[in-house]
Amino acid sequence: MADDRRRKRPTTATGRLFRLTGMTTSIATRVAGHQVKGLFQSDIAKAADREKLLQHIGREVAATLGEMKGAVMKVGQIASQMQDILPKEISDQLKVLQNASAPMPFHVIRRQLERELGGTLDQLFADFEETPFAAASIGQVHRATTHDGDNVVVKVQYPAVKESIDSDMKHLRRILRLGSLLKVDEAALDAVFREIRNQLHEELDYRQEAGNLKHFRDFHHDQPWLVIPQVFDELSSEKVLTLSQETGIALDQVDDDHGFDQATRNLLGERLFDALGQQIFQLRAVHCDPHPGNFAFRPDGTIVIYDFGAVKRLPPQDADLLRNIVRSALNQQWEHLDTLLLQLGARKKDTQVNGQFYATWIALLLRAFDDKPYDFGRSELHTDILRQVKRTPLDQMLKFQPSSRSLLIERVVSGHYWTMMKLGVNTAFRPNLERALEVTPDR
């Protein structure tokens, strides 16, 4: 019986509030106990207890968010990838949320679909598969066939998700403030949460996603190797999105056995990199959900991109700033780089960073952009970065902070690092990077 109650997902505002309030109270009580206990402990014992506390908080947050749909689960998924916002002990526990999303019962989906599109399921589609082939934090996707015989996929948003964003974000933000557990500037963290909240509001408007799909299809129209689904407007609304079914091979099956030799995998890596570079510096609108499920590949070198709900639009000054940051890093102009990072908001004011710090870190971060081929399949860059973090004095690392202006772009870059690894790309990306920096913006 207890397990059945645990699996039941709160779908009403009252139910969500009760679940989140209970989690917040439980964590607040545990934090208070830790602080009192710390008055009588040595520094070593206090540090050990703090690590256990953070792990417990991570488990409790992950368990609660895993039972829920909507904003809190989505933010939890994002947070699991961002160790510069959360302590590692918490972000590690949240990783389970990246693939944890059970589907909603079909009767809920049917009701939502018919209410949104104004007809019965039989009137709307010739055939509709009740079992979804994908379920995420804010919606799930079903295969269907239109009355004209088109094979389509239908994304249906869960009920009451949009209405719960503000409450969900408020509770999650309160949890992250407990006991001053985060060692980042409060204003910077607030800016990050505003960015995530704004992005969620955009992602929950499927009409806007439809516009994004058309915008990106138009931009990439002369690149037939990049496939973006077509929107069926008459079968779409704010909470339902019907798209052409575009097939491809999942990332974890891109190998020799499925027709992808090394040259093809290198080509896929370069094409993906070039497309993202064009989006950042030319289109100034970036597909910013690098989850592997949002991409598929074909042995002819074609890339299929799904899910354009998460799109970051860059103001011209931000795109130019990012371009200049990369150029100053490539040219080893450390003082200029420092000034630009301060301007971006990624560096805390009233602190100083010496050139050797930048020389060490930039050499590490740009390792994959040498003139020689870089073997992503054997890359240890991520582990080397973690080692360097441990070697760097904490007071030096604390001079940097997340910037809301670049947060989602950084998520794209780090996410596709793992894509390149899984593809096993082995090529020299320096020419591609130089081309990306030279593209002419669409003014």
Side-chain angles (χ1 to χ4, degrees), residues 353-362 388 392-393 396-397 400:
V353 176
N354 61 46
Q356 185 56 50
F357 178 94
Y358 283 121
T360 300
W361 272 100
I362 296 303
Q388 185 59 35
T392 304
Q396 293 297 309
M397 296 302 298
F400 296 83

Side-chain angles (χ1 to χ4, degrees), residues 54-339:
L54 293 175
Q55 290 173 346
H56 176 86
I57 290 174
R59 285 193 297 270
E60 187 160 356
V61 172
T64 302
L65 269 55
E67 297 169 11
M68 306 178 76
K69 299 292 188 182
V72 290
M73 185 176 182
K74 186 72 174 181
V75 175
Q77 290 171 332
I78 295 172
S80 69
Q81 304 170 26
M82 293 163 26
Q83 293 185 9
D84 53 352
I85 292 181
L86 290 175
K88 185 176 184 299
E89 294 88 349
I90 293 181
S91 62
D92 282 350
Q93 297 295 330
L94 292 178
K95 287 180 181 178
V96 68
L97 294 175
Q98 292 183 30
N99 299 309
S101 189
M104 280 276 192
F106 184 67
H107 69 86
V108 176
I109 297 301
R110 177 196 284 268
R111 186 166 58 247
Q112 179 83 321
L113 187 69
E114 294 180 342
R115 180 170 53 239
E116 283 294 311
L117 298 184
T120 67
L121 196 61
D122 291 340
Q123 291 172 334
L124 296 167
F125 297 94
D127 183 64
F128 196 97
E129 294 184 8
E130 293 190 7
T131 302
F133 72 90
S137 55
I138 62 176
Q140 62 192 50
V141 189
H142 296 255
R143 292 187 178 93
T145 305
T146 69
H147 287 292
D148 291 332
D150 295 304
N151 293 324
V152 296
V153 294
V154 185
K155 184 160 72 168
V156 185
Q157 188 178 126
Y158 300 130
V161 172
K162 190 169 187 178
E163 292 77 10
S164 70
I165 285 182
D166 291 338
S167 175
D168 286 1
M169 295 289 283
K170 179 180 178 181
H171 276 81
L172 192 57
R173 181 69 182 85
R174 185 180 301 163
I175 292 167
L176 299 185
R177 286 186 175 207
L178 288 172
S180 300
L181 292 173
L182 300 176
K183 295 182 178 180
V184 297
D185 181 81
E186 287 290 325
L189 188 63
D190 286 339
V192 166
F193 260 69
R194 282 195 300 272
E195 175 75 5
I196 294 174
R197 180 184 177 279
N198 292 340
Q199 196 67 44
L200 278 169
H201 272 291
E202 290 189 8
E203 197 168 342
L204 286 167
D205 186 349
Y206 286 178
R207 289 176 300 197
Q208 179 156 315
E209 182 174 353
N212 290 339
L213 282 152
K214 295 171 185 176
H215 188 46
F216 279 79
R217 276 173 60 90
D218 288 344
F219 178 73
H220 290 292
H221 74 278
D222 61 346
Q223 296 167 311
W225 47 263
L226 193 65
V227 174
I228 296 171
Q230 180 180 350
V231 179
F232 285 71
D233 290 315
E234 68 280 6
L235 293 171
S236 299
S237 70
E238 182 181 358
K239 297 179 180 179
V240 174
L241 184 61
T242 300
L243 305 170
S244 59
Q245 182 176 319
E246 306 293 349
T247 60
I249 304 295
L251 178 59
D252 60 2
Q253 294 182 308
V254 176
D255 52 32
D256 290 335
D257 292 340
H258 291 86
F260 296 87
D261 58 19
Q262 185 64 57
T264 302
R265 285 182 276 129
N266 289 348
L267 178 63
L268 290 170
E270 291 196 44
R271 284 178 166 176
L272 180 58
F273 182 93
D274 291 343
L276 293 173
Q278 291 164 1
Q279 290 174 14
I280 293 171
F281 298 116
Q282 184 175 355
L283 183 63
R284 295 197 297 263
V286 187
H287 178 282
C288 60
D289 191 346
H291 189 283
N294 290 331
F295 296 82
F297 306 89
R298 298 173 183 170
D300 64 358
T302 296
I303 301 170
V304 185
I305 306 181
Y306 309 110
D307 199 341
F308 281 77
V311 168
K312 171 65 176 176
R313 289 169 179 76
L314 287 167
Q317 61 270 26
D318 284 10
D320 291 341
L321 184 55
L322 291 174
R323 186 197 309 270
N324 291 333
I325 285 173
V326 176
R327 280 178 172 163
S328 64
L330 290 172
N331 296 329
Q332 301 183 12
Q333 298 170 324
W334 308 137
E335 289 187 12
H336 187 47
L337 174 61
D338 191 62
T339 299

